[in-house]
Amino acid sequence: MISGKFLAAAALIVASGGCTLLPTSGPSATTVANAGAQDQDLQKYLFVPLNGSVIAALAHFQPPTFESRFATVKPPPVQRIGVGDVLTVVLFEAGQGSLFPSQNGARVQLTLQVDNAGNISIPYAGLIHAEGLAPRALERTIVKDLQGKAVEPQASVVISTPVSSTVQVGGDVKKPGPLPLSPAGTHILDALNEAGGSAGQTYETRIRLVRHGRTGEIMMQDLIDRPGDNVYLQPRDQLFVIREPLTYLVFGAVNRPGTDTFTHRQMSLAEALAKTGGLQPALAQGSVFLFRYEPEDVAKAIKPDYDGKFGPLVPVVYRLDMRDPNAFFLARQMQMKDKDIIYLSPAASVDLLKFLAIVNAIGGTAQQGAVVTYNIQRAGR
């Protein structure tokens, strides 16, 4: 799992001395951030000062929603018969000399499964194409085909096992397996409730929907907060519930460097720093660096002069100057992402190259997570 690699890398850094790996002197962060043209290592990253405009641009960006990728079309009011469905068919006759005599009169009950060609076989009527028909329409077809053979025939059709109108629910649910869709329509959260729900917190539970080869993921909390994304399921959809705590790595001038987990979905940079047990006093004149991979459209929004050299995923280093009077408020507004890496420099200057060397050593895990998220979010476009 990605999170396991991340934790292992974090443990190695902390065990190796954590913040002692980074010096407390060297070129100023501003100088280094602007020196990309002078050093090839620095050119591997996009440096962005964290300010109100950047945070506003990040808040404005929203990944594609389920509502936009998977049409929230309500199922038709009439249930249709499909291949694999099991039907209960009851045939009735009136009068003597019936084709279907029984102890209960002239009636017979049949249990039939729709074959791969969409047909069922009715005694004395032969093969009847049932796929795509509503039960009432199939009743009329059966009666028509029995005319002249049975005495005033009548038929009743019920879809007893709607195999073609089921979804598969798997992963971290109490009752995984096939789930029949309601004729009135089944939303994602309806199906998850039917499957017993997930044991994880909503902010650490991802829902993956696979439909006709297209895949999308969304946090369960987002399904709750944005009802439009709680779309209707369609026959043969696949739902997977994935419980994976959101984590971040923090080191430098903090009392407890290492890996920590999110306590809720919308966690700010300030909250993440507060969980470290407090900042060392020297940080008052230092900087906070946050590393993550951002989609290309986000990189262009936060840095309009970005030339697109990194491709669809951009390695970004955000810098928050703690000497800025607005630093605390900016930290409260900056939202964390899964697998973020934070470094707190103990002074106004820092050898950023060595910090980036450490990021490079463990950033592959963050990149793997970003690639998976990027591909899944855009699979439905």
Side-chain angles (χ1 to χ4, degrees):
M1 295 293 290
I2 292 176
S3 59
K5 295 179 181 177
F6 186 78
L7 292 170
L12 178 61
I13 288 177
V14 175
S16 301
C19 39
T20 63
L21 291 174
L22 288 149
T24 58
S25 62
S28 72
T30 302
T31 301
V32 174
N34 293 330
Q38 303 176 15
D39 194 292
Q40 291 184 351
D41 289 333
L42 292 175
Q43 293 184 39
K44 297 177 182 178
Y45 302 89
L46 184 68
F47 295 90
V48 178
L50 196 57
N51 53 42
S53 298
V54 169
I55 291 177
L58 289 171
H60 179 73
F61 174 80
Q62 293 292 337
T65 63
F66 262 29
E67 188 174 15
S68 65
R69 286 176 289 160
F70 300 103
T72 180
V73 178
K74 186 174 182 178
V78 178
Q79 190 175 18
R80 303 286 175 176
I81 297 168
V83 172
D85 287 351
V86 177
L87 310 179
T88 299
V89 179
V90 181
L91 304 176
F92 303 88
E93 287 184 277
Q96 299 295 321
S98 63
L99 293 175
F100 310 112
S102 69
Q103 294 180 350
N104 299 319
R107 67 184 295 272
V108 64
Q109 179 173 310
L110 307 172
T111 300
L112 306 171
Q113 186 168 30
V114 181
D115 64 22
N116 290 334
N119 299 323
I120 59 172
S121 179
I122 298 293
Y124 302 103
L127 286 179
I128 295 178
H129 192 74
E131 183 184 9
L133 296 179
R136 302 293 82 80
L138 180 56
E139 291 172 358
R140 291 192 294 269
T141 300
I142 293 173
V143 169
K144 179 181 176 182
D145 288 357
L146 288 175
Q147 291 289 350
K149 302 172 185 177
V151 180
E152 297 181 25
Q154 295 184 36
S156 171
V157 176
V158 175
I159 305 175
S160 50
T161 306
V163 175
S164 67
S165 298
T166 60
V167 296
Q168 291 289 332
V169 182
D172 184 33
V173 290
K174 296 177 182 178
K175 297 183 292 183
L179 182 72
L181 296 175
S182 167
T186 302
H187 292 93
I188 294 177
L189 291 178
D190 296 332
L192 297 180
N193 288 334
E194 288 290 330
S198 171
Q201 298 289 340
T202 56
Y203 63 82
E204 63 180 18
T205 302
R206 290 182 287 124
I207 308 300
R208 179 179 298 166
L209 173 60
V210 181
R211 174 180 295 171
H212 306 310
R214 300 167 60 205
T215 301
E217 278 196 2
I218 191 170
M219 301 303 295
M220 182 181 286
Q221 186 62 51
D222 290 337
L223 281 180
I224 298 171
D225 294 341
R226 302 197 301 260
D229 284 329
N230 187 26
V231 298
Y232 284 107
L233 293 172
Q234 296 182 3
R236 306 197 185 279
D237 279 354
Q238 294 176 294
L239 275 180
F240 298 95
V241 179
I242 305 164
R243 181 187 180 189
E244 184 176 55
L246 307 180
T247 59
Y248 63 93
L249 173 64
V250 58
F251 58 102
V254 293
N255 290 324
R256 290 201 305 266
T259 301
D260 213 333
T261 58
F262 283 47
T263 54
H264 50 281
R265 179 73 177 107
Q266 299 295 331
M267 190 170 179
S268 70
L269 174 58
E271 290 172 310
L273 296 176
K275 290 192 67 181
T276 64
L279 310 180
Q280 295 179 5
L283 183 63
Q285 296 299 314
S287 296
V288 176
F289 294 94
L290 186 151
F291 170 80
R292 71 167 62 136
Y293 284 88
E294 297 281 20
E296 185 176 25
D297 47 356
V298 174
K300 290 180 178 179
I302 61 179
K303 197 171 179 64
D305 60 347
Y306 169 58
D307 59 9
K309 66 179 180 179
F310 292 111
L313 284 175
V314 183
V316 178
V317 175
Y318 295 97
R319 180 202 173 207
L320 177 62
D321 186 352
M322 296 304 293
R323 293 170 297 177
D324 185 341
N326 296 317
F328 174 73
F329 300 99
L330 293 172
R332 289 184 62 183
Q333 295 173 339
M334 181 63 173
Q335 297 297 309
M336 294 287 292
K337 286 188 177 181
D338 188 29
K339 305 301 180 289
D340 276 355
I341 301 173
I342 306 170
Y343 172 70
L344 294 92
S345 66
S349 60
V350 58
D351 189 345
L352 191 56
L353 287 176
K354 292 191 176 181
F355 161 59
L356 295 179
I358 295 176
V359 167
N360 187 55
I362 62 177
T365 298
Q367 184 180 31
Q368 292 176 35
V371 168
V372 171
T373 301
Y374 177 86
N375 289 336
I376 286 174
Q377 286 181 345
R378 280 151 181 78
R381 280 188 167 181

